[in-house]
Amino acid sequence: MLLNLLTPNPDYASNFVEGVDMAFYVILGISAFFLIGITVAMIYFVYKYSREKNPKAGNVQDNMKLEILWTVIPTILVMGMFYYGWTGWKNMENFPKDAMQVEVTGRMWSWQFTYPNKKQVLIATKVEGKPQEKMFVLPVNKPVTLHLYSPDVIHAFYVPAFRVKQDVTPGVKNKMWFTPTKIGEYDLYCAEYCGRDHSGMIGKVKVVSQADFDKWYNAKEVVNKDEHPGYTALKMCIGCHSTDGTKKVGPSFKGLFGSERTVSTKGDEHTLTADKAYIINSIENPNADISKGFKGGMMTSYKGQFTEKQYNDIIDYLKTIK
Ligand code: CUA
């Protein structure tokens, strides 16, 4: 069907698809009608009123009937577009009370999801250059409300198959809701340019049956025994700090601990040793001592994100990647 060919996304997987697509088709249809109609009329008039056929220009006086007509008809059409847009949008602002509440943190450059039972999923697509298999898992036919939070810059949570998109703005409590209606895997994007690895803020939303979701949701987190707990804690940082010496937005973690660093403190260049106090201060006050060769203002404070034990794990881990 022609309409299917025109659909920007062939997946129909949430309760908002119908409303959003309806508004899209109504506007597309009206626009197509006028594009063709005006073009045809224009070509016809060029022929009909050419200089050859009308050597003397006439003077057209005002025509009340015509003026009313071309005011009333467009008004009706525009109000029709408004109606379909409004009815499609209205429900998005009508948050259901029984929805599952999930906190979503979009940061440079990862998505972090925290479920009501504190279960967490981190989608950082470019962890160590490999795509992540982690997915944002949701049960089918159950409404979910996402509370969107950003510690750094504006991101946008966007799932085309659900026809939902919402800015994730620092300092603003944005939220959105939807009900996934079809089991499957759907692309998740950041739809607001947010810096170097914006295009890396991609992932998948996996919609499963309620039974499968419960199993996944209540399963004890499978701890990868080979993974250092310090590395686990630092995973959300890997987008900007490599563990293999590669220079990214921030200094690499490799060889960091115990090294002599040349840093700039309030514009004052000096050297210091990267000890535990320095590491913790760099996490909590990232712009206090800026490493030579790097720019300040690229990282926000992660104060309160780590427990004392995690800090110790992080230090232990950093010692292993000398
Ligand atoms: Cu986050 Cu673009």
Side-chain angles (χ1 to χ4, degrees):
M1 205 180 130
L2 180 68
L3 281 186
N4 279 346
L5 290 174
L6 292 168
T7 307
N9 189 295
D11 270 327
Y12 310 95
S14 96
N15 59 319
F16 292 132
V17 169
E18 205 182 321
V20 172
D21 283 9
M22 191 53 146
F24 175 78
Y25 289 137
V26 166
I27 294 170
L28 182 74
I30 292 173
S31 303
F33 173 80
F34 280 102
L35 174 70
I36 294 163
I38 290 171
T39 307
V40 168
M42 198 174 66
I43 292 168
Y44 174 67
F45 287 164
V46 162
Y47 166 78
K48 188 177 175 195
Y49 299 106
S50 67
R51 191 185 289 180
E52 258 166 45
K53 292 187 181 251
N54 300 274
K56 252 183 116 187
N59 188 15
V60 180
Q61 291 295 322
D62 48 287
N63 184 328
M64 185 60 95
K65 235 195 252 167
L66 206 55
E67 279 175 28
I68 288 172
L69 215 61
W70 75 41
T71 305
V72 171
I73 292 176
T75 303
I76 292 170
L77 288 174
V78 169
M79 290 317 283
M81 292 187 206
F82 175 73
Y83 170 79
Y84 284 105
W86 172 263
T87 48
W89 174 80
K90 196 175 57 177
N91 279 339
M92 294 180 177
E93 293 302 302
N94 201 355
F95 286 85
K97 288 206 173 63
D98 61 337
M100 178 167 71
Q101 311 286 319
V102 179
E103 277 172 38
V104 181
T105 302
R107 59 162 64 91
M108 299 152 93
W109 289 278
S110 65
W111 293 107
Q112 189 170 12
F113 302 90
T114 309
Y115 291 82
N117 72 350
K118 300 291 170 213
K119 193 183 179 86
Q120 279 193 335
V121 171
L122 179 77
I123 300 180
T125 311
K126 282 188 177 162
V127 169
E128 309 295 75
K130 279 175 256 146
Q132 278 234 315
E133 282 147 35
K134 290 272 174 67
M135 294 188 192
F136 178 33
V137 183
L138 290 173
V140 72
N141 294 330
K142 186 147 193 272
V144 56
T145 296
L146 307 183
H147 299 267
L148 305 161
Y149 169 76
S150 165
D152 40 49
V153 299
I154 303 175
H155 305 272
F157 186 93
Y158 178 36
V159 183
F162 296 165
R163 309 292 192 275
V164 293
K165 187 196 269 175
Q166 177 70 58
D167 273 0
V168 188
T169 314
V172 178
K173 284 181 180 170
N174 281 343
K175 57 179 183 170
M176 72 198 294
W177 82 276
F178 54 86
T179 304
T181 52
K182 212 171 110 191
I183 288 173
E185 286 174 17
Y186 307 103
D187 291 324
L188 154 69
Y189 298 96
C190 176
E192 186 71 55
Y193 182 67
C194 57
R196 201 196 63 182
D197 283 344
H198 157 70
S199 62
M201 280 185 81
I202 51 174
K204 293 267 185 203
V205 182
K206 187 178 182 179
V207 178
V208 297
S209 69
Q210 185 70 49
D212 285 350
F213 178 78
D214 290 342
K215 213 157 77 187
W216 173 85
Y217 189 60
N218 297 314
K220 266 197 82 185
E221 204 61 49
V222 189
V223 183
N224 186 346
K225 289 213 181 76
D226 301 333
E227 194 172 288
H228 195 291
Y231 176 75
T232 311
L234 282 177
K235 253 189 189 167
M236 65 173 141
C237 315
I238 302 275
C240 299
H241 303 272
S242 77
T243 56
D244 61 0
T246 311
K247 187 177 169 176
K248 288 190 175 178
V249 173
S252 176
F253 288 146
K254 189 179 166 69
L256 174 66
F257 191 81
S259 66
E260 292 289 312
R261 321 271 315 159
T262 305
V263 300
S264 163
T265 307
K266 287 185 183 142
D268 217 10
E269 204 170 286
H270 61 109
T271 54
L272 50 71
T273 307
D275 54 7
K276 186 178 172 183
Y278 166 79
I279 302 282
I280 292 178
N281 192 45
S282 295
I283 291 170
E284 298 188 348
N285 306 297
N287 296 306
D289 307 304
I290 295 153
S291 283
K292 196 173 180 177
F294 294 92
K295 266 195 284 181
M298 298 301 287
M299 177 178 162
T300 50
S301 174
Y302 281 61
K303 198 173 180 163
Q305 297 265 329
F306 302 106
T307 62
E308 198 53 44
K309 184 191 175 297
Q310 282 178 314
Y311 273 145
N312 290 329
D313 289 340
I314 288 169
I315 301 298
D316 278 351
Y317 170 67
L318 292 180
K319 286 178 185 166
T320 67
I321 48 167
K322 288 248 160 178

